[in-house]
Amino acid sequence: MAANNGKPEVKEPTLTYENYLNIEKLLSCLQLRCPKFGKYEHDEHLFITMHQAYELWFRQMIFEVDSIRDILRERPLDETKMLSVNNRTDRIILILKLLLGHLSVLETMFPMSFFNFRDYLSPASGFQSAQFRVFENKVGIKPDDRIQYMKDEYVSQCNPDKQKDILDAVDEETLFQIVERWLEQTHGLEEDGFNFWKRFGEKVEERLKDIKAREEVADADHKPGLKKDFDACKDIFHKVLTEDEYKKLLARKEVRLSHKALQGALMISFYRNETRLQQSFQFLTKLIDVDAYMNKWRYNHLLMVHRMIGAKPGTGGSSGYHYLKATISDKYRIFLDLFNLANYYLPQAFVPELTYNMKAFLSPTGNPN
Ligand code: HEM
C-alpha cells in the first residue's frame, strides 16, 4: 500500500469521455414536463434540448466577450493581441449564426404540437434567460433603450440570484464603451499631429465642389440626380463635421459613438490597407457582423413566435408578437454608428493623403514613398 500520511491513497478514476465532460449530469438535465398522453408530447424533447443548447452557447459567448474586453482594456494596448481579438469575435459571429440555424430546427415542430405542451411551461419564458441578458448587456445594450416589458423592469423577470450578474454587466465597461475609448485613441487624430479631422473637412469641401461642378454642366437627365446627391452629402457632412452639430445628434440619440471615436473609426476605414490598421479595420467589420447577427436572431425568433402562437400573449406574460416586434428597432443596434460610417466615405481620390511620417508609422516595414 502506498504511503500517504498513513492513509490509503485514493485512486482517481481513469479519465474518459464520459467523466471528463460530465455527460451523465448533462443529459440528466432534460426532464419532460408534459404528462404523457398519446403522441402529442413528442416535440417537448426538442423544445427543451434546443433551449439547453442555447444556454451552453450563451455561456461560451459571454466567455469570449469577457476576454475581448480584457484585452482591449489593457493600457498600452498590445497590438499583437488584435489577432486574438478578431479570432474570438469571429467565434462569436459563428455561434450567433449557429443560433439562427437552431431556430430552423425548432421550426420543424408544428404549432399544434407546441400547443399540446405549452400550458405546462407557463409562466416560464425565454425572456427570463439571465445569460441572454448578461450577453446583451456586456456587448452594450443600454437599459434606457429597452422596450418596456409589462410595467416591470426586465431584470425583475429573471431569477433573483441572477439579477446581480445582469446589473453588473451594465455597470462594468461594456464592449461598446471599450471600443469607443479605443477608437478615440487612434493615432493621427491629434490636432498638433496629423490632424485627420481637419484634413477630412478640407477634402469634404473639395468633394462637394466637385459634385456641384458636375451638376452645373450636366444635361437635364442627370442634373436632378446630382443636385439630390449634393444636397444629401452637404446635409450629412454638415451634421458630423463640427462637434457642436454632432452633439445634437447625440442628444437626439441618432448616434451613440463620441465625436472623437467616430473620427477614429473613419480614419481606420480610410487607411485600412496600412499594416498597423489592418487588424483594427477587420475588428470594426466584425463588430458590424455581431450587431447584424444579434438582430437577425431577434427577427427570426419573432417570425418563429408568430407562426407558433400567432399574436397571442407569451407564456412570460408579454403581448408576445407585438412586444417582440417592438424590439426590432435601432435601439437594439449596438454598433449602429459603424453601419453609418458608409455615410461619410469619400471616393479614394478624395481621401486625405498620408504624410511621410504617418505613412512610416502606419506601415513601418513598407516603403514610405
Ligand atoms: C416555440 C418556440 C418559442 C416561442 C413560441 C417563444 C415565444 C416567446 C415570446 C412570446 C417571448 C416574449 C416574452 C413572453 O411573453 O414570453 C419570447 C421572448 C424570448 N425568447 Fe422565445 N420563444 C420560443 C423559442 C425560444 C428559444 C429557442 C429561445 C432561445 C433561448 C428563446 C429565447 C427568448 C428570449 C431571449 C426572449 C427575450 C427577447 C427580448 O426580450 O428581447 N425563445 N419568446
Side-chain angles (χ1 to χ4, degrees), residues 11-32:
K11 203 163 177 276
E12 288 283 326
T14 311
L15 207 56
T16 63
Y17 177 85
E18 289 277 330
N19 60 22
Y20 174 60
L21 299 170
N22 236 328
I23 300 293
E24 204 176 322
K25 201 166 176 185
L26 184 69
L27 298 184
S28 71
C29 292
L30 189 145
Q31 287 170 16
L32 301 175

mmCIF file of all heavy atoms in Angstrom, residues 11-32:
data_model
loop_
_atom_site.group_PDB
_atom_site.id
_atom_site.type_symbol
_atom_site.label_atom_id
_atom_site.label_comp_id
_atom_site.label_asym_id
_atom_site.label_seq_id
_atom_site.Cartn_x
_atom_site.Cartn_y
_atom_site.Cartn_z
ATOM 1 N N LYS A 11 -7.462 6.442 -5.466
ATOM 2 C CA LYS A 11 -7.088 6.441 -6.884
ATOM 3 C C LYS A 11 -8.150 7.208 -7.705
ATOM 4 O O LYS A 11 -9.339 6.940 -7.577
ATOM 5 C CB LYS A 11 -6.999 4.986 -7.367
ATOM 6 C CG LYS A 11 -6.139 4.814 -8.579
ATOM 7 C CD LYS A 11 -5.753 3.348 -8.761
ATOM 8 C CE LYS A 11 -4.946 3.183 -10.047
ATOM 9 N NZ LYS A 11 -5.770 3.041 -11.215
ATOM 10 N N GLU A 12 -7.671 8.199 -8.435
ATOM 11 C CA GLU A 12 -8.591 8.955 -9.313
ATOM 12 C C GLU A 12 -9.113 8.017 -10.392
ATOM 13 O O GLU A 12 -8.345 7.207 -10.929
ATOM 14 C CB GLU A 12 -7.824 10.093 -10.001
ATOM 15 C CG GLU A 12 -7.446 11.241 -9.107
ATOM 16 C CD GLU A 12 -8.626 12.157 -8.818
ATOM 17 O OE1 GLU A 12 -9.474 12.325 -9.703
ATOM 18 O OE2 GLU A 12 -8.694 12.666 -7.679
ATOM 19 N N PRO A 13 -10.411 8.118 -10.736
ATOM 20 C CA PRO A 13 -10.890 7.267 -11.843
ATOM 21 C C PRO A 13 -10.198 7.660 -13.154
ATOM 22 O O PRO A 13 -9.842 8.821 -13.336
ATOM 23 C CB PRO A 13 -12.390 7.580 -11.909
ATOM 24 C CG PRO A 13 -12.578 8.855 -11.164
ATOM 25 C CD PRO A 13 -11.432 9.009 -10.205
ATOM 26 N N THR A 14 -9.988 6.689 -13.995
ATOM 27 C CA THR A 14 -9.351 6.981 -15.293
ATOM 28 C C THR A 14 -10.216 7.994 -16.042
ATOM 29 O O THR A 14 -11.447 7.908 -16.023
ATOM 30 C CB THR A 14 -9.285 5.688 -16.135
ATOM 31 O OG1 THR A 14 -8.752 4.682 -15.314
ATOM 32 C CG2 THR A 14 -8.439 5.871 -17.389
ATOM 33 N N LEU A 15 -9.543 8.948 -16.672
ATOM 34 C CA LEU A 15 -10.303 9.957 -17.408
ATOM 35 C C LEU A 15 -10.905 9.346 -18.670
ATOM 36 O O LEU A 15 -10.212 8.689 -19.446
ATOM 37 C CB LEU A 15 -9.371 11.113 -17.782
ATOM 38 C CG LEU A 15 -10.038 12.467 -17.943
ATOM 39 C CD1 LEU A 15 -10.796 12.871 -16.695
ATOM 40 C CD2 LEU A 15 -9.013 13.518 -18.297
ATOM 41 N N THR A 16 -12.187 9.538 -18.818
ATOM 42 C CA THR A 16 -12.865 9.033 -20.020
ATOM 43 C C THR A 16 -13.671 10.182 -20.628
ATOM 44 O O THR A 16 -13.850 11.228 -19.996
ATOM 45 C CB THR A 16 -13.873 7.910 -19.653
ATOM 46 O OG1 THR A 16 -14.879 8.489 -18.818
ATOM 47 C CG2 THR A 16 -13.206 6.742 -18.969
ATOM 48 N N TYR A 17 -14.164 9.928 -21.804
ATOM 49 C CA TYR A 17 -15.048 10.908 -22.462
ATOM 50 C C TYR A 17 -16.210 11.251 -21.540
ATOM 51 O O TYR A 17 -16.541 12.413 -21.315
ATOM 52 C CB TYR A 17 -15.569 10.272 -23.774
ATOM 53 C CG TYR A 17 -16.547 11.124 -24.542
ATOM 54 C CD1 TYR A 17 -16.115 12.095 -25.421
ATOM 55 C CD2 TYR A 17 -17.925 10.933 -24.385
ATOM 56 C CE1 TYR A 17 -17.018 12.870 -26.132
ATOM 57 C CE2 TYR A 17 -18.832 11.711 -25.091
ATOM 58 C CZ TYR A 17 -18.368 12.677 -25.959
ATOM 59 O OH TYR A 17 -19.259 13.453 -26.663
ATOM 60 N N GLU A 18 -16.807 10.216 -20.953
ATOM 61 C CA GLU A 18 -17.998 10.393 -20.101
ATOM 62 C C GLU A 18 -17.725 11.259 -18.884
ATOM 63 O O GLU A 18 -18.460 12.198 -18.604
ATOM 64 C CB GLU A 18 -18.489 9.024 -19.603
ATOM 65 C CG GLU A 18 -19.123 8.168 -20.656
ATOM 66 C CD GLU A 18 -20.595 8.514 -20.885
ATOM 67 O OE1 GLU A 18 -21.258 8.963 -19.946
ATOM 68 O OE2 GLU A 18 -21.044 8.346 -22.038
ATOM 69 N N ASN A 19 -16.633 10.916 -18.134
ATOM 70 C CA ASN A 19 -16.446 11.675 -16.883
ATOM 71 C C ASN A 19 -15.760 13.028 -17.108
ATOM 72 O O ASN A 19 -15.979 13.978 -16.368
ATOM 73 C CB ASN A 19 -15.783 10.840 -15.780
ATOM 74 C CG ASN A 19 -14.410 10.337 -16.169
ATOM 75 O OD1 ASN A 19 -13.767 10.900 -17.039
ATOM 76 N ND2 ASN A 19 -13.961 9.255 -15.535
ATOM 77 N N TYR A 20 -14.926 13.140 -18.145
ATOM 78 C CA TYR A 20 -14.300 14.444 -18.424
ATOM 79 C C TYR A 20 -15.378 15.485 -18.761
ATOM 80 O O TYR A 20 -15.344 16.612 -18.296
ATOM 81 C CB TYR A 20 -13.319 14.307 -19.605
ATOM 82 C CG TYR A 20 -12.724 15.610 -20.071
ATOM 83 C CD1 TYR A 20 -11.958 16.401 -19.216
ATOM 84 C CD2 TYR A 20 -12.915 16.067 -21.374
ATOM 85 C CE1 TYR A 20 -11.421 17.611 -19.631
ATOM 86 C CE2 TYR A 20 -12.386 17.270 -21.810
ATOM 87 C CZ TYR A 20 -11.637 18.038 -20.937
ATOM 88 O OH TYR A 20 -11.103 19.240 -21.352
ATOM 89 N N LEU A 21 -16.359 15.061 -19.537
ATOM 90 C CA LEU A 21 -17.390 16.011 -19.997
ATOM 91 C C LEU A 21 -18.650 16.003 -19.139
ATOM 92 O O LEU A 21 -19.598 16.741 -19.416
ATOM 93 C CB LEU A 21 -17.759 15.702 -21.458
ATOM 94 C CG LEU A 21 -16.597 15.816 -22.448
ATOM 95 C CD1 LEU A 21 -16.990 15.273 -23.811
ATOM 96 C CD2 LEU A 21 -16.140 17.258 -22.586
ATOM 97 N N ASN A 22 -18.644 15.172 -18.102
ATOM 98 C CA ASN A 22 -19.799 15.124 -17.195
ATOM 99 C C ASN A 22 -21.103 14.822 -17.955
ATOM 100 O O ASN A 22 -22.145 15.466 -17.718
ATOM 101 C CB ASN A 22 -19.936 16.472 -16.480
ATOM 102 C CG ASN A 22 -19.931 16.288 -14.990
ATOM 103 O OD1 ASN A 22 -20.405 15.250 -14.488
ATOM 104 N ND2 ASN A 22 -19.414 17.264 -14.269
ATOM 105 N N ILE A 23 -21.000 13.870 -18.850
ATOM 106 C CA ILE A 23 -22.119 13.608 -19.765
ATOM 107 C C ILE A 23 -23.390 13.178 -19.020
ATOM 108 O O ILE A 23 -24.494 13.632 -19.339
ATOM 109 C CB ILE A 23 -21.727 12.516 -20.794
ATOM 110 C CG1 ILE A 23 -20.529 12.954 -21.624
ATOM 111 C CG2 ILE A 23 -22.919 12.168 -21.705
ATOM 112 C CD1 ILE A 23 -20.766 14.104 -22.558
ATOM 113 N N GLU A 24 -23.205 12.325 -18.000
ATOM 114 C CA GLU A 24 -24.396 11.800 -17.325
ATOM 115 C C GLU A 24 -25.206 12.956 -16.730
ATOM 116 O O GLU A 24 -26.421 13.047 -16.888
ATOM 117 C CB GLU A 24 -23.965 10.815 -16.240
ATOM 118 C CG GLU A 24 -25.064 9.822 -15.920
ATOM 119 C CD GLU A 24 -24.598 8.797 -14.906
ATOM 120 O OE1 GLU A 24 -23.419 8.382 -14.986
ATOM 121 O OE2 GLU A 24 -25.418 8.451 -14.033
ATOM 122 N N LYS A 25 -24.457 13.861 -16.050
ATOM 123 C CA LYS A 25 -25.128 15.002 -15.414
ATOM 124 C C LYS A 25 -25.773 15.902 -16.488
ATOM 125 O O LYS A 25 -26.902 16.363 -16.332
ATOM 126 C CB LYS A 25 -24.089 15.805 -14.631
ATOM 127 C CG LYS A 25 -24.677 16.672 -13.575
ATOM 128 C CD LYS A 25 -23.592 17.143 -12.655
ATOM 129 C CE LYS A 25 -24.124 18.091 -11.625
ATOM 130 N NZ LYS A 25 -23.060 18.641 -10.792
ATOM 131 N N LEU A 26 -25.021 16.110 -17.552
ATOM 132 C CA LEU A 26 -25.520 16.985 -18.620
ATOM 133 C C LEU A 26 -26.821 16.435 -19.204
ATOM 134 O O LEU A 26 -27.818 17.153 -19.342
ATOM 135 C CB LEU A 26 -24.454 17.099 -19.716
ATOM 136 C CG LEU A 26 -24.753 18.040 -20.882
ATOM 137 C CD1 LEU A 26 -24.728 19.496 -20.424
ATOM 138 C CD2 LEU A 26 -23.729 17.870 -22.002
ATOM 139 N N LEU A 27 -26.819 15.142 -19.509
ATOM 140 C CA LEU A 27 -28.012 14.568 -20.153
ATOM 141 C C LEU A 27 -29.188 14.445 -19.186
ATOM 142 O O LEU A 27 -30.343 14.450 -19.603
ATOM 143 C CB LEU A 27 -27.684 13.206 -20.787
ATOM 144 C CG LEU A 27 -26.635 13.248 -21.914
ATOM 145 C CD1 LEU A 27 -26.447 11.876 -22.531
ATOM 146 C CD2 LEU A 27 -27.028 14.255 -22.999
ATOM 147 N N SER A 28 -28.858 14.384 -17.884
ATOM 148 C CA SER A 28 -29.954 14.251 -16.914
ATOM 149 C C SER A 28 -30.734 15.570 -16.780
ATOM 150 O O SER A 28 -31.749 15.633 -16.099
ATOM 151 C CB SER A 28 -29.420 13.817 -15.549
ATOM 152 O OG SER A 28 -28.708 14.893 -14.979
ATOM 153 N N CYS A 29 -30.227 16.633 -17.413
ATOM 154 C CA CYS A 29 -30.910 17.937 -17.317
ATOM 155 C C CYS A 29 -32.204 17.959 -18.128
ATOM 156 O O CYS A 29 -33.006 18.883 -17.992
ATOM 157 C CB CYS A 29 -30.007 19.056 -17.810
ATOM 158 S SG CYS A 29 -28.601 19.323 -16.745
ATOM 159 N N LEU A 30 -32.385 17.012 -19.009
ATOM 160 C CA LEU A 30 -33.610 17.028 -19.814
ATOM 161 C C LEU A 30 -34.717 16.293 -19.062
ATOM 162 O O LEU A 30 -34.636 15.087 -18.858
ATOM 163 C CB LEU A 30 -33.356 16.375 -21.182
ATOM 164 C CG LEU A 30 -34.498 16.538 -22.188
ATOM 165 C CD1 LEU A 30 -33.949 16.688 -23.596
ATOM 166 C CD2 LEU A 30 -35.485 15.405 -22.144
ATOM 167 N N GLN A 31 -35.705 17.051 -18.602
ATOM 168 C CA GLN A 31 -36.831 16.429 -17.896
ATOM 169 C C GLN A 31 -38.134 16.913 -18.518
ATOM 170 O O GLN A 31 -38.467 18.096 -18.411
ATOM 171 C CB GLN A 31 -36.778 16.797 -16.417
ATOM 172 C CG GLN A 31 -35.666 16.061 -15.706
ATOM 173 C CD GLN A 31 -35.422 16.557 -14.300
ATOM 174 O OE1 GLN A 31 -36.260 17.255 -13.731
ATOM 175 N NE2 GLN A 31 -34.282 16.220 -13.759
ATOM 176 N N LEU A 32 -38.832 16.009 -19.152
ATOM 177 C CA LEU A 32 -40.093 16.386 -19.799
ATOM 178 C C LEU A 32 -41.129 16.723 -18.733
ATOM 179 O O LEU A 32 -41.192 16.076 -17.691
ATOM 180 C CB LEU A 32 -40.591 15.234 -20.677
ATOM 181 C CG LEU A 32 -39.632 14.796 -21.786
ATOM 182 C CD1 LEU A 32 -40.170 13.574 -22.510
ATOM 183 C CD2 LEU A 32 -39.390 15.933 -22.766
#
